[in-house]
Amino acid sequence: MAFKDRIAHPWGSRTPYGPGQEWPARVDGHLAEGVAPQDVDRWVQSATILHSNGDALDIAVKDDRVVGVRGRAVDRVNRGRLGPKDLFGWQAHQSADRLTRPLVRRDGALVETDWDTAMDVVVRRSRELLDEQGPSALAFYTSGQLFLEEYYTLAAIGHGAIGTNHMDGNTRLCTATAAAALKESFGCDGQPGSYSDIDHADVIALYGHNMAETQTVLWSRVLDRLAGSDPPRLLCVDCRPTPVAREATLHLAPLPGTNLALMNALLHEIIRRDLVDHDYVQAHTVGYQDLVERVADHTPEVAERICGVPAGRIREAAELLGGARRLLSTVLQGFYQSHQATAAAVQVNNVHLVRGMLGRPGAGVLQMNGQPTAQNTRECGADGDLTGFRNWSNDEHVAELAKVWNLDTLQIPHYGPPTHAMQIMRYAETGSVRLLWVSATNPAVSLPDLHRIRALLARQGLFLVVQDIFATETTELADVVLPAATWGEKTGTFTNTDRTVHLSERAVDPPGEARADLDIFLDYARRMDFRDRDGAPFPQWHDAESAFEAWKRASAGRPCDYTGLTYAGLRGGSGVQWPCTAERPGGTERLYTDGRFWAAPQECESYGRDLVTGAPVEPVEYAAMNPFGRAIIRAAEYLPPHEEPDGQYPFALVTGRTLYHFHTRTKTGRVPQLSRAAPEVWVEIAESDAREAGIGEGDLVEVASPRGAVRARARISGIRPGVLFVPFHYGYWDARGQDRDRAANEMTVTDWDPVSKQPLFKTSAARLRLLRPADGRSAPAPTTTASRPVADGVPATTGGPEGLCQEDVGGGAR
Amino acid sequence: MRIGVALREVQRSEAGLAVELRRMADEYQDEVEIHHVAQDLARWSDEHVHELAAAAARHGEDSETLAGPGRAGPGSPPDAGGLLAAGSDPGLALLADLRRLYLAAAGVSVDWELLGQGAQAVKDAELLELSGRCHPRTLRQMNWANAMLKVLSPQVWAR
Ligand code: SF4
């Protein structure tokens, strides 16, 4: 067994392989200091919870404590590999400062109490508001980190028992555009492709997707293909010099906010050069002619003027896409959190539709998720969707769900799409949402324009319930804080980006009085005395497995059909991709293999929306356009961003994440190896911009937008000139004296994509000024990632002895 | 030519719609979807006004005397009274404004319809193409106002 510093080498050793071959296994593991594998009492099956890749692992338990993790070689997703966050992240759960008792606000301060008291307060306020105003006073804002069973239960309580329309997840910040783009093109959510498409593709296009940092194990798979025979060629669209950009055959760096203009030019070229699969288009799509007309004048020269990408490079990119035999595309936040998010992401689908690149090995689309269990919020309906990918404007779907729940149809609000997160916040701000229940997320750091968010969360008249595992910037504002159990302390399932379902079992007990989120939701339901139509307690289930069985019935016959799955079946082997049914007990690798979609008017999850205005398409209109349920090619015109750099704020500000942290660092900030790799906020500046502003590596600078400012050290990087990047992970719980000048969201604009309602974190304008020269220090930014410095002499990011992890590569590694 | 009247009419109402959209964008800075999308949609109306002016000039109409941006809105606000009268309640005021916007867009839509019919009657291919190109965007503006009404009204009524 070999050891490797996985902070210095986030992707581990190479195990090269060729097209069509199986990805070799490599088992990664990490155990607490002084613990040897033979000391471990038991290994408990689970999967990773700090990103969306869904890497299977086993949790090592000794003396009823988690002492480490090891990848599962049998699993289709990771073949034993783990990323740095998973190798080290579990240590956070044992922090001494976990929340272990409920808290209630008394005379302005949060004080410890017992569960009965805390839940009574919540129940009493819920009842009062239901009597006074009705369901519209109550809202739920959940996470991308709970388990399927928990989301399903929350959806049943919110949309069913209470009947409020206001329920969303912070997956809105993350995967809303993925879901919206899939619905626009294919009539229904559901990832068409599979991670195994990487094994077969000859061209891989990554759009605004820094896979190397967001899904490190998936990127290892790409690196292994690149190291093997007959490697794929890579197209990277990103304004930062990410590790992906460095490996790419072609890297395009459009100005922030101009993705749609670039996509339209790529489609223009593909059509002009007739690299179109006309048979596929004819047989399986509607709307092609609209696209042809829309992009007819949108030449690479037009796009060059908008995006600042040379027309020649755009032509080369179109050639790469148009010449691919097996094209895999992946999309993430560079598109999803940017101007015209859905319209741009849909054009990636369009490239695949016009080229007939769907449903066969290597030919697939991955509209990615960021968070580990984001897929489940969508399926279960704990975000702005209806349970089981049902269509909120199809009365039959609503009636069907009411039947599954055994509730009255009128009980389920369906007079409009469920209220999205930013609109929930607006209702809280204007006082019509009066109880907000936040679970497992930290809006006081993660939402845009924090000054506003803090004010509205602290508003008198808003009763704020926060359920989490640590005290956060959000719990600080709460009226009631409920201590939750986390991964390894509770049982449930979750599903990754490519539809792979994993079981995650309870390995140890939660600390103190902390409880599983599922138990908290069910306890609330019982105390509220919710009943179904027959007077039985609702929800009718009582624990994780019975919730899963109930969910299976809700998913039956829908695209995300789980009926062939059981806890027993998920134990021991590999994760399984839905749909999984009696007819397909092994799951389904790729959707749409036969060119058939879930897009028929009576089946589809959505009739779509206008890509510019966001207005939902009316059912009759949809039925006329797409009577036979084909894939829909939707075109859209480019519009300039709503906030553009100007004289006063000359830079485009982009926020995003780094490899070593997750979300607002409540976990990763408590892990020594991860925290040391990226201890503080920084700002990335292009060399030419830095020179002009007289700024050098490590100088303390201020970045300011019209809304707020951040003080940080400067990293001079290869980022596109005119663009500044600030990581969004850093808030105030460990800020040590820093005052509201650390979180990137102090600066971001309140604006969202009208189609997916995803907030835009990649199109704010900002200015920059030097505060203090470097005093010999460099920026606290990793050197291993997109934040790599241009200059020599910056100390390399390493993990030292504590960063060493086991790596069992068998034969053939190098 | 009488078709000039139709041209003038649609140009006048488009200009009015642009004014109305911008007014809403200004008025509802904190309703950010309205604020931003109204601005995007006002741009469409500007483009239409611009193209109509060019068409009018080709038809010998003096576009200078026609509507330009800044000219008053679409006549008197339709149905300013009743339940939706903009009172002190900001939620109701927003619904009233969206309703007005919807009706204004509907007016423009009718004007495009009339222009299209006129263009057919006088066999003016260019005008027909213009109305065929612009009219769908008017319908999208209208649908947007309607959609926002549908989404925002339940919360207002439920209080
Ligand atoms: S960092 Fe947050 S928003 Fe970004 S992908 Fe991850 S979970 Fe989503």
Side-chain angles (χ1 to χ4, degrees):
Chain A
M1 184 168 304
F3 285 84
K4 190 147 197 146
D5 177 352
R6 293 298 302 283
I7 295 295
H9 304 281
W11 306 286
S13 301
R14 296 284 55 78
T15 53
Y17 71 124
Q21 292 170 3
E22 181 172 69
W23 190 26
R26 181 192 90 193
V27 177
D28 300 344
H30 178 58
L31 289 174
E33 220 195 307
V35 179
Q38 62 273 18
D39 301 335
V40 173
D41 297 338
R42 58 180 187 276
W43 293 92
V44 181
Q45 185 176 343
S46 180
T48 52
I49 194 84
L50 292 169
H51 50 74
S52 66
N53 212 52
D55 303 324
L57 56 71
D58 290 318
I59 303 172
V61 181
K62 178 176 158 48
D63 302 330
D64 291 319
R65 279 175 68 85
V66 174
V67 292
V69 291
R70 182 181 67 192
R72 291 175 61 82
V74 295
D75 199 86
R76 58 171 303 277
V77 170
N78 56 327
R79 309 275 289 122
R81 289 165 192 76
L82 295 174
K85 282 202 289 261
D86 316 305
L87 288 163
F88 304 114
W90 51 271
Q91 301 167 86
H93 302 171
Q94 296 163 358
S95 302
D97 59 351
R98 279 284 298 273
L99 288 173
T100 55
R101 296 197 63 194
L103 309 171
V104 291
R105 192 167 293 278
R106 292 242 169 79
D107 304 322
L110 286 170
V111 295
E112 288 196 350
T113 186
D114 53 42
W115 274 101
D116 278 336
T117 310
M119 292 306 283
D120 273 354
V121 176
V122 178
V123 165
R124 211 175 331 117
R125 190 64 192 139
S126 304
R127 288 228 177 89
E128 277 166 16
L129 290 173
L130 283 173
D131 288 346
E132 255 175 60
Q133 182 182 325
S136 68
L138 277 65
F140 295 86
Y141 183 51
T142 187
S143 162
Q145 296 158 63
L146 299 186
F147 291 174
L148 175 150
E149 294 77 359
E150 297 168 330
Y151 295 133
Y152 180 54
T153 303
L154 185 61
I157 290 173
H159 287 313
I162 294 175
T164 176
N165 207 23
H166 310 322
M167 178 175 295
D168 203 357
N170 95 321
T171 48
R172 180 66 56 185
L173 319 183
C174 185
T175 75
T177 302
L182 294 171
K183 286 185 246 182
E184 289 294 326
S185 299
F186 309 119
C188 191
D189 196 351
Q191 194 69 264
S194 170
Y195 287 171
S196 55
D197 286 331
I198 290 174
D199 309 347
H200 303 277
D202 66 339
V203 174
I204 304 178
L206 298 101
Y207 297 95
H209 181 197
N210 184 3
M211 188 196 280
E213 297 193 52
T214 56
Q215 286 87 14
T216 55
V217 168
L218 201 59
W219 180 240
S220 296
R221 197 166 185 156
V222 174
L223 288 176
D224 285 347
R225 275 291 320 272
L226 291 175
S229 62
D230 207 356
R233 285 173 301 162
L234 261 49
L235 169 67
C236 170
V237 177
D238 204 311
C239 65
R240 290 172 79 210
T242 60
V244 176
R246 293 199 278 272
E247 297 292 338
T249 311
L250 197 57
H251 173 207
L252 309 181
L255 272 171
T258 66
N259 294 325
L260 181 60
L262 176 68
M263 292 311 302
N264 279 348
L266 291 173
L267 283 159
H268 169 96
E269 275 299 290
I270 289 172
I271 290 169
R272 186 185 66 84
R273 300 182 48 180
D274 200 23
L275 301 165
V276 173
D277 182 341
H278 291 286
D279 292 340
Y280 190 91
V281 168
Q282 183 75 31
H284 302 300
T285 71
V286 293
Y288 177 66
Q289 206 45 44
D290 290 347
L291 178 70
V292 171
E293 284 162 27
R294 170 59 59 206
V295 302
D297 299 329
H298 202 86
T299 60
E301 281 70 22
V302 170
E304 173 173 344
R305 286 195 290 278
I306 298 170
C307 317
V309 175
R313 310 274 289 173
I314 299 175
R315 289 210 171 81
E316 279 175 54
E319 212 164 296
L320 194 57
L321 299 172
R325 281 167 295 122
R326 295 169 186 272
L327 173 67
L328 172 65
S329 296
T330 73
V331 195
L332 195 60
Q333 305 312 1
F335 272 39
Y336 298 166
Q337 293 179 341
S338 195
H339 178 61
Q340 296 196 285
T342 309
V346 159
Q347 303 318 311
V348 176
N349 296 341
N350 286 346
V351 168
H352 283 259
L353 288 170
V354 302
R355 298 227 53 237
M357 290 283 169
L358 269 184
R360 48 192 173 86
V365 180
L366 294 170
Q367 297 279 356
M368 296 296 295
N369 309 345
Q371 300 196 72
T373 70
Q375 188 60 45
N376 305 111
T377 53
R378 279 146 61 180
E379 296 159 8
C380 296
D383 63 351
D385 290 317
L386 262 201
T387 303
F389 292 162
R390 287 182 173 81
N391 188 339
W392 56 265
S393 39
N394 181 331
D395 288 346
E396 275 170 43
H397 285 198
V398 180
E400 194 183 83
L401 182 61
K403 202 164 147 224
V404 170
W405 283 344
N406 195 25
L407 296 174
D408 199 282
T409 308
L410 207 57
Q411 185 60 22
I412 303 173
H414 58 288
Y415 37 76
T419 314
H420 61 90
M422 297 303 287
Q423 190 64 41
I424 291 177
M425 297 301 154
R426 178 64 184 151
Y427 289 152
E429 186 173 40
T430 50
S432 66
V433 158
R434 295 155 73 190
L435 183 154
L436 177 64
W437 188 328
V438 176
S439 42
T441 190
N442 191 9
V445 178
S446 57
L447 288 181
D449 195 359
L450 287 181
H451 181 78
R452 168 177 176 255
I453 296 299
R454 280 188 296 262
L456 73 86
L457 291 177
R459 203 173 168 277
Q460 284 285 331
L462 178 70
F463 186 81
L464 183 64
V465 182
V466 182
Q467 175 173 323
D468 212 325
I469 69 169
F470 289 112
T472 65
E473 295 80 347
T474 306
T475 60
E476 242 172 68
L477 305 171
D479 295 284
V480 177
V481 178
L482 304 173
T486 187
W487 173 93
E489 301 165 354
K490 60 182 185 182
T491 292
T493 54
F494 53 89
T495 307
N496 77 349
T497 303
D498 88 336
R499 296 175 278 105
T500 306
V501 185
H502 286 112
L503 176 66
S504 177
E505 303 225 59
R506 176 179 178 131
V508 295
D509 289 338
E513 295 174 26
R515 285 186 187 171
D517 300 88
L518 177 69
D519 296 337
I520 300 174
F521 294 144
L522 285 173
D523 183 34
Y524 174 71
R526 298 297 179 255
R527 289 173 193 263
M528 290 292 289
D529 197 27
F530 295 133
R531 300 276 163 171
D532 69 11
R533 267 204 299 217
D534 299 324
F538 181 86
Q540 298 95 343
W541 49 94
H542 57 274
D543 65 359
E545 192 158 4
S546 58
F548 186 77
E549 292 298 316
W551 157 248
K552 281 162 63 177
R553 286 189 289 279
S555 75
R558 295 301 297 159
C560 51
D561 194 323
Y562 279 62
T563 49
L565 289 166
T566 59
Y567 275 20
L570 287 168
R571 257 178 213 125
S574 168
V576 178
Q577 288 172 287
W578 64 245
C580 176
T581 59
E583 299 79 59
R584 293 170 166 274
T588 308
E589 192 164 30
R590 292 180 185 82
L591 304 185
Y592 314 138
T593 47
D594 49 3
R596 298 201 39 223
F597 302 88
W598 279 86
Q602 61 284 7
E603 284 179 340
C604 65
E605 180 184 5
S606 165
Y607 303 123
R609 289 173 183 268
D610 186 309
L611 286 182
V612 171
T613 70
V617 174
E618 293 296 323
V620 198
E621 206 184 321
Y622 183 86
M625 170 197 67
N626 195 18
F628 306 115
R630 295 186 178 153
I632 307 126
I633 295 178
R634 284 193 212 264
E637 70 193 90
Y638 167 75
L639 299 171
H642 297 137
E643 182 165 295
E644 287 188 289
D646 59 15
Q648 207 187 349
Y649 297 98
F651 290 95
L653 170 69
V654 165
T655 72
R657 84 183 157 181
T658 185
L659 187 146
Y660 300 98
H661 283 299
F662 179 67
H663 211 52
T664 61
R665 279 168 64 260
T666 45
K667 286 182 182 173
T668 53
R670 287 176 165 90
V671 176
Q673 293 92 336
L674 300 173
S675 185
R676 275 199 301 267
E680 254 307 331
V681 65
W682 69 87
V683 51
E684 290 166 30
I685 306 172
E687 219 176 350
S688 54
D689 291 333
R691 210 178 310 119
E692 206 168 298
I695 291 169
E697 171 71 32
D699 288 356
L700 188 68
V701 301
E702 181 191 75
V703 188
S705 82
R707 292 155 295 273
V710 164
R711 274 162 276 274
R713 288 185 185 272
R715 163 58 42 88
I716 315 305
S717 82
I719 195 169
R720 185 191 211 290
V723 182
L724 303 175
F725 173 88
V726 178
F728 82 102
H729 304 288
Y730 301 85
Y732 303 102
W733 62 266
D734 62 339
R736 284 179 290 270
Q738 257 182 301
D739 193 33
R740 307 295 190 221
D741 59 354
R742 196 190 194 206
N745 281 320
E746 304 293 349
M747 303 183 286
T748 44
V749 64
T750 304
D751 187 9
W752 56 78
D753 179 49
V755 184
S756 67
K757 318 295 181 190
Q758 182 157 352
L760 310 184
F761 294 99
K762 316 258 190 218
T763 31
S764 297
R767 62 179 147 76
L768 177 69
R769 96 190 148 96
L770 176 67
L771 294 177
R772 213 170 347 114
D775 57 38
R777 302 210 334 233
S778 45
T783 60
T784 43
T785 58
S787 56
R788 184 166 84 174
V790 283
D792 300 332
V794 175
T797 301
T798 60
E802 286 181 37
L804 291 180
C805 295
Q806 299 139 24
E807 196 185 59
D808 190 355
V809 283
R814 42 173 220 246
Chain B
M1 281 239 292
R2 276 190 129 164
I3 188 98
V5 179
L7 254 175
R8 265 204 304 277
E9 222 20 59
V10 66
Q11 195 179 5
R12 191 184 63 83
S13 61
E14 272 286 10
L17 183 58
V19 169
E20 185 65 18
L21 281 161
R22 290 221 161 74
R23 189 188 67 72
M24 289 206 55
D26 276 356
E27 177 115 8
Y28 296 102
Q29 311 255 355
D30 293 334
E31 302 291 343
V32 305
E33 187 163 344
I34 300 217
H35 171 67
H36 288 303
V37 178
Q39 277 172 325
D40 290 342
L41 299 189
R43 212 185 285 257
W44 284 355
S45 289
D46 292 347
E47 283 171 26
H48 294 175
V49 169
H50 195 78
E51 293 208 40
L52 284 159
R58 282 192 297 273
H59 283 78
E61 293 285 333
D62 176 8
S63 70
E64 286 308 296
T65 62
L66 296 181
R71 193 184 145 126
S76 60
D79 191 12
L83 198 51
L84 288 180
S88 54
D89 184 298
L92 287 177
L94 175 56
L95 295 189
D97 273 334
L98 281 168
R99 184 177 190 272
R100 182 157 46 231
L101 183 69
Y102 176 85
L103 292 174
V108 179
S109 169
V110 169
D111 290 338
W112 278 115
E113 192 76 60
L114 290 173
L115 181 66
Q117 293 299 93
Q120 304 226 36
V122 302
K123 309 204 186 313
D124 186 327
E126 187 197 321
L127 277 187
L128 192 59
E129 188 272 335
L130 181 67
S131 99
R133 196 150 40 79
C134 299
H135 190 191
R137 297 214 288 198
T138 309
L139 294 172
R140 291 165 71 188
Q141 291 168 319
M142 211 169 117
N143 286 344
W144 175 68
N146 189 43
M148 292 311 287
L149 276 167
K150 263 176 109 165
V151 166
L152 296 174
S153 59
Q155 190 70 4
V156 176
W157 299 133
R159 288 197 80 176

